Each structure stands twice: as C-alpha cells, then as structure tokens.
Amino acid sequence: VSVSRAIKPFAEPGRPPDWFSQKHCASQYSELLETTETPKRKRGEKGEVVETVEDVIVRKLTAERVEELKKIIKETQEKYRQLKKDAELIQAGHMDNRLEELCNEIMMWVITLF
C-alpha cells in the first residue's frame, strides 16, 4: 500500500484509477523481476558489492525515464522555437490572416502543458 500511495503523485495523466492499486503494483513489480536478467555473481573479495536485480531494474528504468524526458524537452524546445518565430511574424504583420488559427493552436498547446 505504501508504494502505491508514494508513487501516485508522479502519475502521468490518463492512467486508469486502478493503476495504483496494491494488486497492480505487485503484478508490475513481479513482471519487472521476471523480465530482468539476474546479474551474474562474481567471485571476489569479501565485502565486494554485488549488483542485485533491484539495482538492475532501477538503472534500467532510470535510463528509460531520462530518455523520455530528453525527448519531451526536445519537443518542447522545438515548439517554443516555432511559437517564437510565429510571434515575430505576427509582430511584423505578416500573419494577420492566420491570427485566429494561431491563437487556437497556442491555446491547445497551453492546455496540453497543464
């Protein structure tokens, strides 16, 4: 229960209500354990830190999330550049015939951010 409650604030929009149920969290974790290769143990000195399955999962999911965030940042930067270009064209008076359309596009984009 504590895990499902703890991760709920970090949810992406559109997740079903039962996404954070105890049962669903347990099944997702079980699936992660089954699909992750167990690290091979190395013979070495005592006290050597051995990577666990949990460490592998955390590293994998962290890398995936970093890539997702990089993609989101890139898309947001591209949209910003386009909006900035459009703003400059509007100020120069070159887009007067498309003002209503551009305003609607901007409003839709702002709505998706929040």
Side-chain angles (χ1 to χ4, degrees), residues 16-65:
D18 66 338
W19 183 259
F20 297 101
S21 71
Q22 206 174 353
K23 184 178 178 181
H24 191 263
C25 286
S27 69
Q28 290 293 314
Y29 183 70
S30 176
E31 185 180 325
L32 278 172
L33 287 175
E34 290 172 8
T35 59
T36 303
E37 290 185 30
T38 306
K40 295 181 180 173
R41 295 189 176 247
K42 299 176 185 174
R43 291 187 180 198
E45 298 178 22
K46 287 186 178 180
E48 182 181 323
V49 177
V50 177
E51 189 173 51
T52 64
V53 175
E54 291 83 3
D55 294 333
V56 173
I57 290 171
V58 167
R59 191 170 12 90
K60 175 185 169 191
L61 293 177
T62 301
E64 287 176 8
R65 185 62 179 154

Side-chain angles (χ1 to χ4, degrees), residues 64-101:
E64 287 176 8
R65 185 62 179 154
V66 166
E67 289 305 312
E68 288 174 8
L69 292 173
K70 284 180 181 179
K71 182 181 175 187
I72 291 169
I73 289 169
K74 184 178 178 182
E75 290 170 355
T76 304
Q77 288 172 335
E78 289 172 5
K79 187 66 178 174
Y80 171 78
R81 284 188 206 102
Q82 182 61 44
L83 290 173
K84 187 174 179 180
K85 181 181 171 185
D86 289 346
E88 291 169 357
L89 290 172
I90 290 168
Q91 288 175 345
H94 299 295
M95 304 272 291
D96 289 346
N97 58 339
R98 291 190 57 220
L99 283 179
E100 189 174 333
E101 178 187 341

Side-chain angles (χ1 to χ4, degrees), residues 12-16:
E12 297 116 6
R15 292 284 185 198

